[in-house]
Amino acid sequence: MSLEGGKMTVETLPHCAYPECTNHPEAPTADNPAPRYCAHPDHNALGAFRTFRAKRQQRKDEKRRAAEAKKAAEAAGAPVDGTTEATMWTALEDATEGKDASGTRDGLVALISRLATDLPGYIEELAIITDSAAAEARIRTVTRAAAQRTLDAERRTALAEEAADLAIAQLDVSEHRFAQETEEIRQESAQQVADVEFVRAELERYRERVAQLEERLDKVREEADTARRLVLQAEQHQCTV
């Protein structure tokens, strides 16, 4: 609603461009700032064009059946009212060539009335066709954009797969290197343990040797003490003599 001149007026909202649809168009979006159709999935430019094409074909079929019925009536000798489309165009040609006849004038009036009746439908159908072309162009643009996005996604996927393969290869190399280093450390540890055991055995042997030397040293000391006592006793014996 809006207030104009102190009076309340109701703004008329546009209707869906689909034939005989009374719904309002969808809300504008970034991709479609001026929507002409409602939210119904079949209400679009292509659907509207197909509907108008079906109606046009229906009108052609009705005209064809009417012409066939008129020919059948003329062949049977029955009176026929109205003027055929060919007669109307003939009347229009006669009028443009300056021929003056009541039949020609009546045919021209009927033809003009006929054109005035059909012209809005043709104009609306032309607008639908134009809108369909724009919709198809927009569809092609969206399709190309989607294809480009798909291509970009495929490229990113390929890059990710290459990066994953490279990471796996690097992981395999690191794992192999780690196994080698672990084996080297295990061998070095085993060698160090063997060296420690050898050093321990040598130390034990040296301890036993030292113990033997200490025992021998004790014996030598005892022998030295015994010899010293014997010498003292001999000296004392000589002094007494």
Side-chain angles (χ1 to χ4, degrees), residues 128-155:
I128 291 297
I129 294 174
T130 304
D131 189 71
S132 298
E136 291 176 358
R138 186 161 56 250
I139 290 172
R140 287 194 296 270
T141 301
V142 173
T143 302
R144 284 195 297 268
Q148 185 63 37
R149 287 195 295 271
T150 302
L151 181 60
D152 294 340
E154 290 177 353
R155 289 175 179 174

Side-chain angles (χ1 to χ4, degrees), residues 104-176:
T104 301
R105 185 176 61 252
D106 294 339
L108 180 60
V109 171
L111 178 59
I112 293 174
S113 177
R114 179 78 168 275
L115 290 175
T117 302
D118 295 342
L119 184 59
Y122 290 137
I123 292 175
E124 189 172 5
E125 186 173 352
L126 178 61
I128 291 297
I129 294 174
T130 304
D131 189 71
S132 298
E136 291 176 358
R138 186 161 56 250
I139 290 172
R140 287 194 296 270
T141 301
V142 173
T143 302
R144 284 195 297 268
Q148 185 63 37
R149 287 195 295 271
T150 302
L151 181 60
D152 294 340
E154 290 177 353
R155 289 175 179 174
R156 289 194 295 270
T157 301
L159 291 176
E161 290 177 352
E162 291 178 1
D165 293 339
L166 181 59
I168 292 173
Q170 292 177 351
L171 181 61
D172 292 339
V173 172
S174 300
E175 185 178 0
H176 181 67

